[in-house]
Amino acid sequence: MKVHILDDYFDTLRGLPSFAALAGHDLTVWTDKPATEAELAERLRDADVLILFRDRTEITESLVSRLPNLKLVAMRSAYPHVDVEALTRAGVLFCSNMHAGSPSTAAAELTFLLILAAARRLPEQVASIRAGHWQAGVGRSLSGRTLGLYGYGRLGKAVAGYARAFGMNVVWWASEEGRARAAADGETVATSRDAFFAEPDVISIHKRLNAATRGEITADDLAAMRADAIFVNTSRAGLVAPGALVAALDAGRPGLAAVDVFDTEPVTDPDDPVVSHPRVLPTPHIGFVTEDELDTQFADIYAIVTAYADGAPVHVINPEARAS
């Protein structure tokens, strides 16, 4: 089959052990992103299979309509960027391994790295010594402080484990169902949404972005945070209401933010209002970008392609496509 892998910006996948699983297929790995959908469609016009690199490319109805040979789209994890109905109408199978019970260790590690770096003012300290100065202010220890985790899921639970290893207290807020599960597990749930945002030293959000969760963290939520609190987002920028984070930082609550996700990616403008904000520690969506994590994720995706080639598709999201 003609298999196209999209958006491998650093040409990493060919060097990972899992890549051998695609031996025997006609492979094309794209390391850049075309400027227009028309250019993308031209690249992919002969593709039988598309392998998606997370949500770096949106799969729209108009794109699908330009790919007459397409039979399978394969990926891992949540898929708000994929028009599943368009794929189904076109008779294209969509398969995604949702990896239940296995959080992204890399994303959890980065989350806690950002918490540590923000608390100790690490970027300022590095800049100070490189500029020929010595210490740049005073950081804060994490032991004894409180981490608020928004969203009771597998990734948040992994971050909670790291926090407790550093001596932090953990408090949760989530959907009604998520709060019930947390309480049943013996976790501490905030007495109210207002208390959740007002009391912790650090708040980190861990929810999937979909129509129901888009913009659910409001300007009022952020304004309720303490002036010395840290807000961390390694999930999706769209969970926060548009413009609310910059406005909140400008108003002084929260005091700092550490973010790995942005409204439009990739961000290449150094004057972007989030990237350039003096109280933001930004990273370029690297939560899942480690060799170990990518090898794990793409081994799962390649298994989808192999199963399809063997006539026994797995992790099928739209089985009705086979009847189209």
Side-chain angles (χ1 to χ4, degrees), residues 205-208 233-237 239 261 285:
I205 61 175
H206 300 285
K207 293 193 80 171
R208 288 179 176 165
N233 187 358
T234 58
S235 293
R236 288 294 183 272
L239 293 166
V261 288
H285 205 155

Side-chain angles (χ1 to χ4, degrees), residues 103 150-159 172-174 178 181 206-207:
Y150 186 91
Y152 191 67
R154 55 197 176 202
L155 206 153
K157 291 176 185 177
V159 175
W172 299 86
W173 193 255
R181 285 190 291 112
H206 300 285
K207 293 193 80 171

Side-chain angles (χ1 to χ4, degrees), residues 288-314:
F288 67 98
V289 185
T290 69
E291 291 180 354
D292 316 75
E293 185 72 21
L294 292 177
D295 197 46
T296 296
Q297 291 192 14
F298 280 86
D300 287 347
I301 299 172
Y302 302 153
I304 289 173
V305 176
T306 298
Y308 177 83
D310 290 342
V314 294

Side-chain angles (χ1 to χ4, degrees), residues 171-320:
V171 63
W172 299 86
W173 193 255
S175 65
E176 184 175 354
E177 188 271 337
R179 298 196 304 274
R181 285 190 291 112
D185 290 341
E187 297 285 350
T188 299
V189 178
T191 56
S192 67
R193 184 183 182 92
D194 289 344
F196 173 81
F197 281 98
E199 295 171 3
D201 299 275
V202 183
I203 288 177
S204 184
I205 61 175
H206 300 285
K207 293 193 80 171
R208 288 179 176 165
L209 177 64
N210 54 42
T213 61
R214 183 174 294 278
E216 74 174 27
I217 296 175
T218 67
D220 288 343
D221 291 329
L222 297 176
M225 293 179 67
R226 290 165 30 185
D228 62 348
I230 300 167
F231 178 80
V232 182
N233 187 358
T234 58
S235 293
R236 288 294 183 272
L239 293 166
V240 181
L245 180 58
V246 169
L249 291 167
D250 287 344
R253 291 175 180 270
L256 295 170
V259 299
D260 188 47
V261 288
F262 303 87
D263 289 323
T264 302
E265 298 181 4
V267 180
T268 56
D269 179 6
D271 295 323
D272 176 89
V274 176
V275 171
S276 63
H277 200 284
R279 291 206 302 257
V280 172
L281 169 56
T283 52
H285 205 155
I286 56 172
F288 67 98
V289 185
T290 69
E291 291 180 354
D292 316 75
E293 185 72 21
L294 292 177
D295 197 46
T296 296
Q297 291 192 14
F298 280 86
D300 287 347
I301 299 172
Y302 302 153
I304 289 173
V305 176
T306 298
Y308 177 83
D310 290 342
V314 294
H315 303 296
V316 179
I317 304 300
N318 62 340
E320 59 273 25

Side-chain angles (χ1 to χ4, degrees), residues 12-96:
T12 302
L13 300 180
R14 281 186 252 250
L16 300 179
S18 57
F19 196 74
L22 293 181
H25 294 293
D26 182 353
L27 293 176
T28 303
V29 180
W30 296 102
T31 59
D32 65 333
K33 182 183 287 293
T36 68
E37 187 178 273
E39 294 176 65
L40 177 62
E42 179 62 22
R43 284 184 173 187
L44 305 178
R45 66 185 185 279
D46 295 329
D48 297 304
V49 177
L50 295 186
I51 291 178
L52 305 187
F53 205 121
R54 301 287 291 230
D55 56 356
R56 291 178 175 179
T57 289
E58 187 175 4
I59 304 301
T60 64
E61 183 172 21
S62 57
L63 177 62
V64 173
S65 69
R66 300 180 187 205
L67 304 177
N69 297 320
L70 189 61
K71 302 175 182 65
L72 170 69
V73 175
M75 62 168 289
R76 190 178 191 265
S77 202
Y79 44 87
H81 57 299
V82 176
D83 189 333
V84 180
E85 292 181 359
L87 290 172
T88 302
R89 287 192 295 270
V92 178
L93 211 60
F94 175 58
C95 301
S96 184

